[in-house]
């Protein structure tokens, strides 16, 4: 370990050149001294959670002249669009280049290369690593990934102020007739920078695909003094029904989080009259139309719409209503 850089990533080949064998690297990972954020790349455990160090680790895998793209580019821009079943794993590593020769140099199973037009203005540097620009990254995700990921990307990039939806609209218009651009256009029509979490994007997409009225977003509840007391993810004013997405880390990790949410939602109903329905990833990404059924009932509709299949693993299907 003394021969390895104390705060820098190192590849298996570079470690071997320093006299550290692959078995030694495996032992160091097992003992917690090193972390392996990506196959064939190691980091000292002390800096494994540092975004800049992890970016440098990604940079070791990238062929010269290529740029990280899509999910991994979004991650370096601070936008996480990984679906729930992969949130503990590293982002999918993809790169793009307009040179077939460069892509032929990609020989790592964990790095997927794509050949595409890549003008210089679509490349930026993040922590020393070339990545596609925020606008190019958001558009590529909207264009080439599942609709739920594409909408979340547009929502999150615009919510953080990294892109404007007008900018994406101009890019989509310039690519009229190109492959998959219709998919980007369809999710762009639903994008809203007020959205704060990918789960909220997924909920809106489910409601839209079911043919149900879209809810209002970021509903602010104010007390007698006019101070904002609570903010609801989304809801319907006419029936005073709110819909909220409970992410794993903020709402479902500890019993204290659940207790806090219960008290909050009870207070909201008692003081403002809003009934709040909470959904988690299993409800939104699962096979059963839990969200659609709830919205249909709240709006007084007798028919429960069918659920369009998304290309993701199923989840739990229990509705949690907290009042």
């Amino acid at each position: 370990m003394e021969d390895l850089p104390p705060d820098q990533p190192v590849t298996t080949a570079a470690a071997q050149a320093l006299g550290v064998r692959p078995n030694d690297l495996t032992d160091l990972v097992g003992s917690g001294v090193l972390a392996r954020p990506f196959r064939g790349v190691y980091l000292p455990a002390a800096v494994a959670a540092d975004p800049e160090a992890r970016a440098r680790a990604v940079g070791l895998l990238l062929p010269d002249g290529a740029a990280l793209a899509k999910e991994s580019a979004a991650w370096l821009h601070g936008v996480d669009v990984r679906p729930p079943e992969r949130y503990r794993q590293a982002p999918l590593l993809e790169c793009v280049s307009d040179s077939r020769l460069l892509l032929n140099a990609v020989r790592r199973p964990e790095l997927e290369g794509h050949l595409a037009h890549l003008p210089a203005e679509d490349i930026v540097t993040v922590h020393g690593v070339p990545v596609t620009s925020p606008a190019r990254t958001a558009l590529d995700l909207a264009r080439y990934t599942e609709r739920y990921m594409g909408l979340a990307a547009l929502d999150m990039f615009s919510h953080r102020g990294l892109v404007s939806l007008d900018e994406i609209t101009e890019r989509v218009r310039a690519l009229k007739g190109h492959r998959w651009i219709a998919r980007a256009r369809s999710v762009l029509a639903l994008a809203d920078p007020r959205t704060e979490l990918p789960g909220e994007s997924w909920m809106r997409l489910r409601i839209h695909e079911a043919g149900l009225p879209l809810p209002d977003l970021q509903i602010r509840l104010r007390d007698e003094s006019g101070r904002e007391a609570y903010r609801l993810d989304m809801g319907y004013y006419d029936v005073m029904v709110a819909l909220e997405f409970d992410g794993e880390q903020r709402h479902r990790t500890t019993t204290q989080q659940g207790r806090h949410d219960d008290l909050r939602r009870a207070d909201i109903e008692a003081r403002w009259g809003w009934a709040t329905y909470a959904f988690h990833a299993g409800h939104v990404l699962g096979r059963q139309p839990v969200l659609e059924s709830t919205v249909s009932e709240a709006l007084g509709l007798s028919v429960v719409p069918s659920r369009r299949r998304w290309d993701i693993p199923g989840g739990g299907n229990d509705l949690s209503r907290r009042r």
Side-chain angles (χ1 to χ4, degrees):
M1 179 63 187
E2 292 79 8
D3 296 325
L4 297 177
D7 60 354
Q8 297 291 325
V10 62
T11 62
T12 303
Q16 285 184 281
L18 294 172
V20 182
R21 299 171 299 177
N23 287 344
D24 297 329
L25 292 170
T26 300
D27 292 341
L28 290 169
V29 171
S31 64
V33 176
L34 290 180
R36 191 178 76 161
F38 308 101
R39 183 177 176 180
V41 178
Y42 299 84
L43 269 173
V47 298
D50 178 65
E52 185 171 350
R54 290 175 67 87
R56 290 196 297 268
V58 175
L60 294 179
L61 305 176
L62 196 62
D64 290 339
L68 281 176
K70 299 181 184 177
E71 189 175 309
S72 47
W75 176 68
L76 285 184
H77 286 303
V79 174
D80 190 351
V81 294
R82 290 173 295 177
E85 78 276 4
R86 288 199 287 105
Y87 83 95
R88 288 190 177 92
Q89 303 173 17
L92 296 179
L93 292 181
E94 297 178 271
C95 67
V96 63
S97 173
D98 52 15
S99 168
R100 190 175 297 278
L101 292 177
L102 290 175
L103 288 184
N104 288 340
V106 177
R107 292 290 184 266
R108 308 186 69 93
E110 70 276 15
L111 179 62
E112 182 176 343
H114 300 278
L115 182 67
H117 179 55
L118 188 65
E121 58 268 24
D122 278 358
I123 303 176
V124 298
T125 301
V126 179
H127 301 310
V129 180
V131 302
T132 52
S133 67
R136 173 64 183 266
T137 304
L139 178 58
D140 282 352
L141 287 166
R143 185 177 177 185
Y144 296 116
T145 66
E146 288 292 322
R147 282 161 52 89
Y148 76 98
M149 287 184 65
L151 178 59
L154 292 179
D155 284 347
M156 294 303 99
F157 270 99
S158 59
H159 176 73
R160 292 171 178 262
L162 297 172
V163 300
S164 71
L165 296 182
D166 287 342
E167 180 181 5
I168 301 298
T169 299
E170 289 301 316
R171 283 177 170 257
V172 168
R173 186 177 293 120
L175 292 172
K176 182 179 180 180
H178 284 64
R179 191 180 186 190
W180 304 116
I181 201 63
R183 176 185 292 175
R185 188 181 300 111
S186 70
V187 293
L188 177 60
L190 295 173
D192 194 310
R194 293 175 295 172
T195 310
E196 295 184 343
L197 292 172
E200 298 171 25
S201 303
W202 308 336
M203 289 175 64
R204 289 182 13 254
L205 181 58
R206 282 292 189 198
I207 293 170
H208 169 75
E209 289 182 344
L212 295 167
L214 287 173
D216 294 299
L217 303 185
Q218 302 305 324
I219 297 169
R220 301 174 187 273
L221 302 180
R222 301 184 183 277
D223 60 20
E224 296 79 3
S225 67
R227 180 185 64 87
E228 180 182 313
Y230 296 111
R231 188 147 43 96
L232 307 171
D233 292 344
M234 63 190 77
Y236 299 91
Y237 280 98
D238 52 347
V239 292
M240 298 188 73
V241 166
L243 314 172
E244 296 198 308
F245 183 82
D246 282 357
E248 292 292 328
Q249 293 179 326
R250 295 184 180 181
H251 296 275
R252 296 172 55 81
T253 302
T254 68
T255 56
Q256 289 82 359
Q257 290 173 336
R259 189 175 301 115
H260 174 270
D261 287 338
D262 287 340
L263 292 173
R264 170 182 173 273
R265 286 162 181 155
D267 189 41
I268 287 172
E269 183 160 22
R271 296 172 61 188
W272 285 273
W274 282 81
T276 304
Y277 291 84
F279 303 87
H280 56 68
H283 299 142
V284 184
L285 304 180
R287 295 183 176 89
Q288 298 301 316
V290 179
L291 173 62
E292 297 90 332
S293 299
T294 304
V295 173
S296 295
E297 181 180 355
L299 298 180
L301 304 177
S302 58
V303 178
V304 177
S306 61
R307 167 165 286 204
R308 179 181 296 184
R309 180 179 176 179
W310 290 354
D311 187 19
I312 46 180
N317 296 310
D318 297 307
L319 175 61
S320 170
R321 184 183 182 186
R322 295 169 179 161
R323 302 188 63 170

